[in-house]
């Protein structure tokens, strides 16, 4: 029965990728189990392998003066024939006739036990191997589908890609390559030592899958130069990734995008064209929220309740759809990314309903036409500036230019007047012709008050009193002399 076992073990080792030494241990335990079933559990059997890995069976017998059980005892006289140095109480190994020992029943028991142990051993090896690879990417091939679950061929075994772990954009056919993330490996042994079936759970939708793709494509993330702070995703629609650089000289956004977008495009291709917003993480929550709501560009962020993590985002009217995104997922993902609950308001919302800010900014400051300093908090001042700026009273200046000034922290005529043309161009990136036109308008609006020794400008003295009206169509601020509303374009008359 056990002839050429060594050759068979080598073949089995190559086929199952199990070491020969481990297979020899299985052979040994299997033979001993079969022998003990025949001769009893109190007899010791020993299996020795020769240089060709063929087994030989020995029975251990105790050396006694008078033999009472010939299955496990041997007389001193008989033992001396085998080894002259033997003494009473020693154990002698006696060669067992394997043909006689292993009859049909014993051979069947040994064979069945052997293959069962090999199966358990194989499962255990697979479990241990993939358990080590948990939280890593793995490549496989589409093998079959059952009730929405895709079974992925991983070589030695198969993984499960359940419906909830599949992107709606992706469709596969038999043989297609699938890259996925191993997020859980079930199996091993239960409390009683029984082998449990191995189940390898894969995903292509979880945030960790996206993180691993970024690590794979972007060396700066792999080596720790750039850190991924958070990833949120609506599978099939959009992903938002917040990154930060641990080295000031490295731009985290540029590194993730890559030259001509080559790095981010590799990731987008892997997820079938799903859109990715890479945003810069910041310790300043308002800066972080402004980045998270991209592609919309908010005018102001107000933290309305830090403890409950609530914020109001004020955006231009025309960017409302950008802020919300398809089916509202842009603002939803931005909220998940930052951990804050958002209240989105447009400029028109605030102008038409100033009471929305009554608990945040004093009402008499919201639409003020002066630039007097107040004792409001930093956030209150920041919000009030959007609406109180007297820059809107400058005739002949487009609203888009005024917004550009405000976005670059030039919030009043006084601040604009105190800057040179070169400083304005540097702060706003406006072209020279536009800035020259601004300076001409300023000369018509601002009067210089002569002092005793030099010229000074004050907030009380530099602004002409210009009466501001409300557009009958859209409610925007207008002044006498305007023939069209700068916002809605309606024809105006001040008769």
């Amino acid at each position: 029965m056990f002839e050429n076992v060594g050759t068979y073990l080598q073949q089995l080792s190559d086929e199952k990728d199990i070491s020969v030494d481990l297979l020899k241990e299985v052979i040994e335990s299997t033979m001993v189990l079969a022998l003990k079933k025949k001769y009893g559990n109190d007899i010791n059997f020993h299996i020795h392998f020769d240089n060709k890995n063929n087994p030989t069976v020995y029975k251990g017998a105790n050396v006694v003066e008078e033999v009472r059980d010939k299955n496990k005892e041997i007389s001193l006289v008989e033992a001396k024939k085998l080894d002259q140095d033997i003494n009473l109480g020693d154990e002698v190994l006696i060669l067992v006739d394997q043909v006689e020992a292993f009859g049909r029943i014993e051979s069947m028991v040994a064979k069945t036990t052997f293959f069962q142990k090999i199966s358990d051993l194989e499962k255990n090896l697979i479990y241990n191997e993939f358990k080590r690879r948990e939280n890593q990417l793995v490549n496989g091939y589409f093998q079959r589908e059952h009730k929405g679950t895709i079974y992925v061929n991983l070589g030695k075994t198969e993984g499960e890609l359940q419906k909830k772990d599949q992107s709606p954009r992706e469709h596969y056919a038999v043989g297609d390559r699938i890259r996925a993330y191993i997020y859980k490996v079930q199996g091993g042994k239960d409390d009683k030592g029984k082998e449990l079936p191995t189940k390898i759970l894969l995903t292509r939708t979880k945030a960790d899958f996206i993180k691993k793709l970024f690590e794979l494509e972007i060396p700066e993330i792999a080596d720790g130069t750039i850190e991924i702070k958070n990833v949120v995703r609506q599978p099939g629609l959009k992903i938002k990734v917040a990154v930060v650089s641990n080295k000031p000289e490295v731009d985290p956004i540029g590194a993730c995008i890559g030259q001509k977008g080559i790095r981010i495009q590799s990731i987008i291709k892997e997820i079938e064209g799903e859109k990715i917003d890479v945003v810069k993480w910041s310790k300043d929550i308002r800066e972080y929220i402004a980045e998270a709501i991209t592609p919309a560009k908010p005018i102001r962020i107000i933290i309305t309740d830090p403890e409950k993590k609530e914020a109001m985002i004020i955006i231009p009217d025309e960017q409302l759809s950008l802020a919300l995104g398809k089916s509202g997922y842009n603002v939803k993902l931005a909220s998940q990314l930052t951990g804050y609950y958002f209240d989105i308001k447009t400029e028109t919302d605030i102008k038409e309903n100033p009471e929305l800010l009554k608990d945040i900014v004093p009402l008499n400051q919201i639409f003020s036409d002066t630039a007097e300093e107040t004792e409001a908090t930093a956030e209150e001042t920041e919000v009030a500036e959007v609406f109180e700026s007297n820059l809107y009273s400058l005739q002949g200046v487009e609203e888009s230019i005024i917004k550009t000034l405000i976005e670059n922290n030039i919030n009043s005529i006084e601040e604009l007047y105190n800057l040179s043309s070169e400083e304005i161009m540097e702060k706003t990136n406006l072209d020279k012709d536009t800035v020259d036109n601004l300076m001409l308008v300023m000369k018509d609006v601002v009067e210089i008050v002569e002092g005793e020794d030099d010229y000074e400008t004050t907030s009380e003295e530099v602004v002409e009193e210009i009466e501001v009206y409300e557009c009958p169509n859209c409610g925007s601020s207008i002044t006498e002399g305007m023939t069209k509303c700068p916002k809605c374009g309606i024809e105006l008359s001040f008769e």
Side-chain angles (χ1 to χ4, degrees), residues 234-337:
Q234 180 58 42
L237 290 178
K238 178 179 277 195
I239 299 166
K240 285 185 180 284
V241 182
V243 295
V244 65
S245 175
N246 293 319
K247 293 183 179 179
E249 66 273 17
V250 178
D251 174 22
I253 308 297
C256 291
I257 301 300
Q259 189 173 15
K260 297 182 179 179
I262 189 170
R263 289 180 173 179
I264 199 71
Q265 285 303 320
S266 296
I267 300 173
I268 291 174
K269 183 179 179 181
E270 176 65 39
I271 55 177
E272 303 294 337
E274 191 171 318
K275 184 172 176 58
I276 302 176
D277 289 343
V278 182
V279 304
K280 189 175 181 179
W281 179 85
S282 174
K283 290 182 179 179
D284 186 326
I285 188 59
R286 289 184 298 170
E287 290 182 8
Y288 187 24
I289 291 173
E291 286 283 330
I293 203 70
T294 188
K297 295 182 178 180
I299 297 171
R300 287 294 182 271
I301 309 286
I302 309 168
I303 306 303
T304 55
D305 194 327
E307 292 185 2
K308 294 182 179 179
K309 293 190 173 182
E310 295 176 352
M312 179 183 289
I313 303 178
I314 304 173
I315 61 170
D317 292 41
E318 64 275 11
Q319 292 195 21
L320 178 60
S321 59
L322 281 177
L324 296 178
K326 184 177 180 181
S327 301
Y329 279 117
N330 189 66
V331 67
K332 178 182 177 181
L333 291 175
S335 176
Q336 292 174 355
L337 193 72

Side-chain angles (χ1 to χ4, degrees), residues 35-48:
L35 289 167
K36 287 194 172 188
K37 278 186 177 292
K38 182 176 181 178
Y39 297 102
N41 290 328
D42 56 348
I43 300 176
N44 292 326
F45 291 96
H46 303 269
I47 313 298
H48 292 178

Side-chain angles (χ1 to χ4, degrees), residues 58-77:
Y58 293 90
K59 179 179 67 173
N62 292 325
V63 180
V64 296
E65 290 185 351
E66 183 181 352
V67 176
R68 294 180 180 178
D69 187 343
K70 63 179 182 179
N71 284 326
K72 57 183 179 180
E73 295 176 342
I74 186 174
S75 68
L76 182 60
V77 174

Side-chain angles (χ1 to χ4, degrees), residues 16 21 26 50 102 186 192 235 311 324 357 361 370 372 417 424 439 475 495:
K16 300 289 187 180
D21 288 340
V26 177
D50 61 20
F102 287 92
Q186 298 175 343
K192 297 179 180 179
L324 296 178
L357 298 180
V361 182
T370 66
E372 295 180 353
Y417 180 80
I424 295 171
M439 302 306 287
E495 294 180 359

Side-chain angles (χ1 to χ4, degrees), residues 84-104:
Q84 288 294 325
D85 296 328
I86 206 75
N87 296 306
L88 289 172
D90 291 343
E91 184 182 57
V92 175
L93 297 183
I94 303 172
L95 182 64
V96 174
D97 185 342
Q98 295 179 188
V99 175
E100 179 183 343
F102 287 92
R104 184 179 62 84

Side-chain angles (χ1 to χ4, degrees), residues 8 15 28 76 79 89 109 127 144 152 165 173 185 246 271 321 340 351 461 475 490:
Y8 176 74
E15 179 185 339
E28 182 176 355
L76 182 60
V109 170
Y127 170 79
R144 59 192 173 90
V152 183
D165 293 306
V185 178
N246 293 319
I271 55 177
S321 59
Y340 268 71
K351 289 178 180 179
E461 297 170 327
I490 190 174

